[in-house]
């Protein structure tokens, strides 16, 4: 298992690490600041550096079933051999955009208190799908969403034992928290949101900036897709 430093501090932009594997699947480090694709959030991009060499990383994925984090290079180039010490550095501008977006979607879920059937996060436009029969008003949602953002609510996380997870906290219908791992990470915005989430988030809601609900789509008899952009 790779030590996932981002799980405890999403603001780390780089770290030193040791290569444990390097091959066609990608590069595995003993620890990393790179977030792997999951929970609707894209994998991080960035670079690995050692000596005078810089290797561009275009995606990050988690390998199953062992949970190792794979850093995927942009092309078939010489990889750092095992036991090499490298500096792992993420594309911070992209990551921070994802952090703002991810936190914004938690607030969107707090405004629309319906089961979540799907979602996707990107740097420019994100969405959540809700089990909701009628289309909500875009302007009303935007106003409530920005009121929560401007309030500057603190955003934190904490770990609990898997057996202590209250099933009522699980809002996503299509994706469930991992089982058999022993611990579950909760995202907490006091008085606003509390749910299992392994993604990266900002420390305060006012870091998100202004958000706009730009579109609400009907994706089924009881499914509405809500699209959000950030200024």
């Amino acid at each position: 298992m790779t030590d996932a430093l981002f799980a405890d501090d999403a603001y780390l932009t780089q770290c030193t690490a040791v290569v444990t594997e390097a091959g066609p699947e990608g590069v595995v480090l003993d620890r990393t600041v790179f977030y792997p694709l999951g929970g609707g959030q894209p994998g991080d991009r960035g670079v690995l550096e050692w000596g005078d060499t810089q290797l561009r990383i275009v995606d990050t994925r988690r390998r199953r079933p062992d949970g190792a984090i794979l850093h995927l290079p942009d092309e078939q180039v010489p990889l750092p051999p095992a036991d090499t010490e490298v500096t792992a550095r993420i594309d911070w501008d992209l990551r921070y955009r994802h952090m703002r977006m991810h936190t914004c979607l938690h607030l969107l879920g707090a405004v629309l208190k319906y089961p979540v059937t799907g979602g996707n996060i990107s740097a420019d436009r994100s969405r959540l799908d809700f089990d909701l029969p009628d289309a909500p008003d875009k302007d009303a949602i935007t106003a409530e969403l920005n009121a929560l953002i401007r309030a500057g609510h603190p955003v934190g996380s904490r770990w609990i034992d898997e057996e202590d997870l209250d099933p009522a906290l699980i809002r996503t219908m299509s994706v469930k928290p991992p089982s058999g791992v022993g611990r579950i990470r909760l995202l907490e915005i006091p008085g606003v949101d509390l749910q299992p989430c392994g993604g990266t988030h900002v420390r305060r809601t006012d870091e998100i900036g202004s958000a706009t609900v730009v579109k609400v789509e009907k994706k089924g008899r009881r499914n509405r897709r809500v699209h959000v952009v950030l200024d």
Side-chain angles (χ1 to χ4, degrees), residues 116 165 167 170-179 184 196:
V116 174
L165 176 63
I170 303 172
R171 298 220 17 224
T172 53
M173 299 173 64
S174 57
V175 179
K176 303 300 182 184
S179 60
I184 297 290

Side-chain angles (χ1 to χ4, degrees), residues 97 100-102 104 123-125 149 208-212 228-231:
R97 186 80 177 180
R100 292 168 57 213
M101 281 287 199
H102 200 151
C104 182
D124 300 316
R125 183 182 180 119
I149 291 171
I208 296 170
S210 179
T212 304
V228 179
V229 298
L230 300 182
D231 295 339

Side-chain angles (χ1 to χ4, degrees), residues 28-43:
V28 180
L29 307 176
D30 65 336
R31 62 183 194 148
T32 189
V33 292
F34 280 69
Y35 178 82
L37 172 73
Q41 181 173 329

Side-chain angles (χ1 to χ4, degrees), residues 143-200:
E144 290 187 60
L145 186 57
N146 281 291
L148 288 174
I149 291 171
R150 290 192 301 268
H153 294 284
V155 181
S157 63
R158 53 189 170 92
W159 295 90
I160 62 170
D161 291 336
E162 183 180 340
E163 61 188 17
D164 294 332
L165 176 63
D166 181 355
L169 296 180
I170 303 172
R171 298 220 17 224
T172 53
M173 299 173 64
S174 57
V175 179
K176 303 300 182 184
S179 60
V181 296
R183 296 196 306 161
I184 297 290
R185 184 170 175 262
L186 296 180
L187 180 282
E188 184 173 22
I189 306 173
V192 178
D193 191 36
L194 177 65
Q195 61 180 288
C197 185
T200 61

Side-chain angles (χ1 to χ4, degrees), residues 47-65:
V47 296
L48 301 182
E49 298 173 331
W50 67 100
D52 296 326
T53 303
Q54 184 179 89
L55 178 65
R56 192 162 72 96
I57 301 300
V58 296
D59 200 358
T60 310
R61 302 291 179 97
R62 192 177 290 277
R63 184 172 66 192
R64 303 300 179 191

Side-chain angles (χ1 to χ4, degrees), residues 70-213:
L70 297 168
H71 304 75
L72 309 183
D74 63 341
E75 57 187 17
Q76 294 300 314
V77 296
L79 302 178
D83 298 325
T84 300
E85 184 175 279
V86 300
T87 297
R89 181 178 297 111
I90 61 173
D91 179 338
W92 171 247
D93 290 342
L94 180 64
R95 157 70 83 75
Y96 190 58
R97 186 80 177 180
H98 291 159
M99 289 165 58
R100 292 168 57 213
M101 281 287 199
H102 200 151
T103 312
C104 182
L105 292 190
H106 279 276
L107 296 184
L108 179 62
V111 171
L112 293 172
K113 302 181 187 301
Y114 299 92
V116 174
T117 59
N120 185 69
I121 298 165
S122 72
D124 300 316
R125 183 182 180 119
S126 300
R127 65 170 172 84
L128 279 183
D129 297 350
F130 294 92
D131 181 17
L132 175 61
D134 300 313
D137 181 82
K138 291 189 301 182
D139 292 339
I141 304 171
T142 296
E144 290 187 60
L145 186 57
N146 281 291
L148 288 174
I149 291 171
R150 290 192 301 268
H153 294 284
V155 181
S157 63
R158 53 189 170 92
W159 295 90
I160 62 170
D161 291 336
E162 183 180 340
E163 61 188 17
D164 294 332
L165 176 63
D166 181 355
L169 296 180
I170 303 172
R171 298 220 17 224
T172 53
M173 299 173 64
S174 57
V175 179
K176 303 300 182 184
S179 60
V181 296
R183 296 196 306 161
I184 297 290
R185 184 170 175 262
L186 296 180
L187 180 282
E188 184 173 22
I189 306 173
V192 178
D193 191 36
L194 177 65
Q195 61 180 288
C197 185
T200 61
H201 310 89
V202 294
R203 293 182 178 130
R204 289 172 50 93
T205 60
D206 51 5
E207 290 184 52
I208 296 170
S210 179
T212 304
V213 175

